[in-house]
């Protein structure tokens, strides 16, 4: 834990989907200083962090040497690999650094049931073909997809389970059982996406449902609708390019929807692929919490323990 001061030195751990946006967020935040970047891929070693993130050079070269990273003087590690490693996290903590990871979220209130929906168009995301077609399972023939769940389903189930457990903790109860469901939607035409081509009749949409139950009754349901095209079969009712909806059934029942506005980084929102905005939301939730985590007392802290996380020093005038 560091004493509060003007600038916090941050190590970005991994530079995948979240990590690239985290580098940008850290570079733009006057409270944060990028101290180092750890990368998994050998072809990224030695590259400037700005180049990896798609911005101007930052003067920080990426390394794949864990010992080198852990020996650095830094306040916090923003930990964002695809698969978390508990032993790895423990090593970081043992080196005297705080750790912030965007794997958990929370809601609170006295309710009967919480349902959360994520709808996102990922067609122009810059993920590798191996990730899109191999790990996520897009482009698979229909029969194969129904028999073989995506390779990342298990990883995502673990992440969503953590989120549901935090929601339950906020509401003061323990979940008894969990269930997972998965269905696919097929392309009605050949679809060109950033990662390649999805042929007609192959998987171009996926719906994941994660449910927490008590006495066999669903109390928390998290649903994602990921699509690569607007013309799918079946044609799900959830058709927005990017939308997050929270429905609380209780007294009173509430519905909250978060959608994109008209611009992003000075560009019309239609020029920015929706998946980019969704990843950015997850990233900023982590980077904006770094000062608060660094100033907290030692121990594991979640959104339930910390004060309200807010974006400070983010107003840009002129």
């Amino acid at each position: 834990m560091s004493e509060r001061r003007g600038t916090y030195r941050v190590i970005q751990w991994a530079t995948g989907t979240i990590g690239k946006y985290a580098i940008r967020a850290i570079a733009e935040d006057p409270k944060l200083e990028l101290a180092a970047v750890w990368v998994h891929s050998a072809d990224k070693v030695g590259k400037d962090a700005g180049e990896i993130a798609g911005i101007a050079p930052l003067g920080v070269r990426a390394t794949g040497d864990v010992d080198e990273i852990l020996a650095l003087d830094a306040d916090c590690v923003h930990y964002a690999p695809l698969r978390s490693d508990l032993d790895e996290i423990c090593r970081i903590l043992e080196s005297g650094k705080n750790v912030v990871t965007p794997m958990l979220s929370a809601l609170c209130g006295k309710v009967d049931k919480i349902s959360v929906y994520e709808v996102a168009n990922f067609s122009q995301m810059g993920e590798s073909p191996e990730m899109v077609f191999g790990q996520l399972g897009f482009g698979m023939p229909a029969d194969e997809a129904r028999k073989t769940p995506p390779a990342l389903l298990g990883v995502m189930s673990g992440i969503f389970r953590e989120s549901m457990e935090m929601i339950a903790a906020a509401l003061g109860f323990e979940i008894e059982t969990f269930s997972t469901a998965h269905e696919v939607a097929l392309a009605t035409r050949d679809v060109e996406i950033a990662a390649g081509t999805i042929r007609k009749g192959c998987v171009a949409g996926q719906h994941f449902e994660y449910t927490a139950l008590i006495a066999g009754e669903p109390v928390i349901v998290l649903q994602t609708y990921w699509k690569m095209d607007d013309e799918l079969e079946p044609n799900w009712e959830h058709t927005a390019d990017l939308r997050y909806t929270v429905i609380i059934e209780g007294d009173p029942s509430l519905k909250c929807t978060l959608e994109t506005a008209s611009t992003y980084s000075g560009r019309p929102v239609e020029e920015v692929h929706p998946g980019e905005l969704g990843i950015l939301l997850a990233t900023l939730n982590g980077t904006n919490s770094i000062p608060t985590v660094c100033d907290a007392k030692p121990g594991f802290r979640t959104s339930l323990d910390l004060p309200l996380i807010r974006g400070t020093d983010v107003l840009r005038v002129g």
Side-chain angles (χ1 to χ4, degrees):
M1 181 181 72
S2 65
E3 295 182 0
R4 185 171 183 82
R5 63 179 190 273
T7 303
Y8 300 84
R9 284 173 54 80
V10 182
I11 295 169
Q12 176 55 44
W13 197 285
T15 58
T17 303
I18 294 288
K20 292 178 182 178
Y21 291 94
I23 291 173
R24 300 181 192 179
I26 293 167
E28 293 176 356
D29 193 325
K31 301 184 301 300
L32 307 179
E33 174 190 351
L34 186 65
V37 173
W38 180 86
V39 292
H40 178 268
S41 302
D43 60 352
K44 292 182 181 179
V45 171
K47 287 187 176 180
D48 188 275
E51 179 186 354
I52 293 174
I55 58 177
L58 298 175
V60 177
R61 298 288 177 181
T63 179
D65 189 329
V66 172
D67 292 330
E68 176 186 344
I69 286 282
L70 296 182
L72 291 173
D73 176 25
D75 298 293
C76 186
V77 171
H78 185 258
Y79 186 82
L82 179 61
R83 293 180 173 87
S84 60
D85 185 320
L86 182 58
D87 291 336
E88 198 170 62
I89 293 174
C90 288
R91 286 192 65 189
I92 296 171
L93 293 171
E94 288 169 354
S95 75
K97 299 172 181 62
N98 295 283
V99 175
V100 168
T101 177
M103 288 160 38
L104 302 175
S105 62
L107 297 171
C108 61
K110 186 177 181 180
V111 301
D112 298 319
K113 180 182 177 182
I114 295 176
S115 299
V116 181
Y117 297 84
E118 176 191 57
V119 183
N121 185 323
F122 286 152
S123 61
Q124 299 307 309
M125 282 293 289
E127 296 291 354
S128 66
E130 191 280 330
M131 173 63 72
V132 173
F133 298 116
Q135 299 296 314
L136 290 175
F138 284 100
M140 297 174 65
D143 292 343
E144 181 181 349
R146 295 186 178 104
K147 295 177 182 177
T148 308
L152 281 184
L153 179 59
V155 175
M156 292 187 295
S157 297
I159 294 173
F160 278 88
R161 177 168 177 163
E162 290 175 339
S163 297
M164 290 189 285
E165 287 176 335
M166 182 177 289
I167 295 171
L171 298 175
F173 66 87
E174 293 186 4
I175 298 168
E176 294 179 353
T177 57
F178 296 87
S179 68
T180 302
H182 172 243
E183 65 172 325
V184 300
L186 307 180
T188 59
R189 57 184 177 178
D190 287 353
V191 179
E192 296 295 332
I193 64 173
T197 302
I198 297 178
R199 298 299 180 189
K200 179 180 179 180
C202 294
V203 175
Q206 300 196 55
H207 169 215
F208 300 90
E209 182 174 296
Y210 311 92
T211 305
L213 304 99
I214 296 179
E217 293 296 323
V219 291
I220 305 171
V221 181
L222 306 185
Q223 302 199 46
T224 64
Y225 290 84
W226 295 350
K227 62 177 185 175
M228 295 295 187
D229 193 36
D230 289 328
E231 298 183 19
L232 302 176
E233 178 59 43
N235 187 18
W236 294 321
E237 60 176 309
H238 303 284
T239 57
D241 281 336
L242 181 68
R243 178 186 295 147
Y244 296 91
T245 303
V246 178
I247 299 175
I248 300 176
E249 299 177 32
D251 188 14
S253 294
L254 302 171
K255 179 179 180 179
C256 176
T257 299
L258 179 66
E259 294 183 283
T260 55
S262 58
T263 62
Y264 166 64
S265 291
R267 292 177 287 166
V269 73
E270 59 267 19
E271 296 180 5
V272 184
H273 54 77
E276 178 181 353
L277 298 174
I279 295 301
L280 185 63
L281 294 177
T283 302
L284 293 177
N285 184 53
T287 58
N288 281 334
S289 70
I290 288 174
T292 304
V293 170
C294 289
D295 295 329
K297 294 181 179 180
F300 289 95
R301 306 296 174 198
T302 70
S303 299
L304 305 183
D305 310 306
L306 299 171
L308 178 66
I309 302 300
R310 60 196 186 279
T312 57
D313 300 315
V314 296
L315 181 63
R316 304 288 189 264
V317 179

